[in-house]
Amino acid sequence: MSDTRKKLIRIAYDNPHLRSKILPTLNKISAQKKKKTKVNFIEAILENPTDLTSWLERQDDAPSLKGWDIKSHHMTMEFLKKGKATDLEPYKQFVGNTYTVDIVGYAFDDKCVAVLIDTNLPVDNKFPHITVAVNGVSPVYSNDLLKEKSASGELIQAKGKLKVKVGYFDFKTHRYDLPHEFFETDED
């Protein structure tokens, strides 16, 4: 998608009164048939992933991450597996925007380190979090870790702030713009 097209789409999204003038023009420009957008998950991506690892290094009880697989990338807002563009509807006002989220705690064991997040963003997870690093397990393990540590009272209370940008993963790329399906008319 060209930069001009992206700018026009953003203008149309931000200015509903201009949509009827902008969208028909955009639709004519994109005469080629587009593939349907696929969505694996909606996410809040860290603007600077090293902010989280640096924060963790300053915590007194935090483990060393030397030799671990550092993730420190995003907070999954909703996992869709085989989602489509329309699944982004509840998130459309957030996509492409930057927010501050609060770190309220963290947990770790010999396999995983994850930070617990408090946010006003819509998150479909009992324990909104960011997986910092894993050691021999998949990042999804952080869900079990936080559940277990919360139940046993071993969740370490901590405070911090992180900047995130809301987007989605389309099985290939992390995207910050609404897909073309949001701007097409029935005439396409």
Side-chain angles (χ1 to χ4, degrees):
M1 182 181 307
S2 73
D3 286 338
T4 302
R5 182 173 171 78
K6 286 180 185 177
K7 287 177 185 173
L8 287 171
I9 288 171
R10 181 47 85 179
I11 290 169
Y13 178 72
D14 291 340
N15 300 282
H17 63 284
L18 296 176
R19 286 183 189 156
S20 63
K21 293 180 181 9
I22 295 173
L23 294 181
T25 304
L26 284 173
N27 290 334
K28 286 177 188 172
I29 292 171
S30 70
Q32 69 205 58
K33 197 68 179 164
K34 291 186 167 57
K35 291 182 182 179
K36 289 185 178 182
T37 302
K38 296 178 182 177
V39 180
N40 187 217
F41 53 85
I42 293 102
E43 59 189 345
I45 302 171
L46 288 169
E47 282 201 333
N48 186 357
T50 59
D51 288 349
L52 182 53
T53 51
S54 297
W55 174 87
L56 189 66
E57 288 171 359
R58 294 190 302 271
Q59 304 309 302
D60 292 334
D61 298 327
S64 167
L65 300 179
K66 188 173 183 175
W68 287 48
D69 182 9
I70 305 295
K71 296 301 179 188
S72 189
H73 180 262
H74 71 273
M75 172 181 67
T76 301
M77 295 171 62
E78 184 176 354
F79 182 73
L80 299 167
K81 199 170 186 178
K82 293 183 179 181
K84 52 194 175 301
T86 54
D87 292 319
L88 291 169
E89 185 66 33
Y91 301 95
K92 71 180 180 183
Q93 71 189 54
F94 303 104
V95 171
N97 295 315
T98 301
Y99 300 90
T100 299
V101 296
D102 295 315
I103 298 171
V104 294
Y106 66 99
F108 65 91
D109 61 13
D110 61 340
K111 299 179 211 156
C112 182
V113 179
V115 295
L116 189 61
I117 299 295
D118 183 33
T119 180
N120 289 327
L121 292 169
V123 179
D124 185 29
N125 192 324
K126 184 175 180 180
F127 298 102
H129 67 279
I130 300 171
T131 303
V132 182
V134 292
N135 188 19
V137 295
S138 166
V140 73
Y141 173 81
S142 57
N143 290 295
D144 295 333
L145 172 69
L146 289 166
K147 181 179 177 182
E148 175 190 316
K149 296 295 183 176
S150 178
S152 68
E154 296 177 77
L155 196 59
I156 301 165
Q157 302 298 309
K159 291 186 178 185
K161 292 192 178 294
L162 297 167
K163 289 275 189 193
V164 296
K165 188 171 185 178
V166 175
Y168 63 96
F169 185 67
D170 67 3
F171 291 90
K172 294 179 187 171
T173 308
H174 299 279
R175 309 283 311 222
Y176 301 104
D177 55 339
L178 289 171
H180 64 90
E181 288 93 337
F182 276 79
F183 306 101
E184 293 176 342
T185 64
D186 292 335
E187 298 166 1
D188 291 337

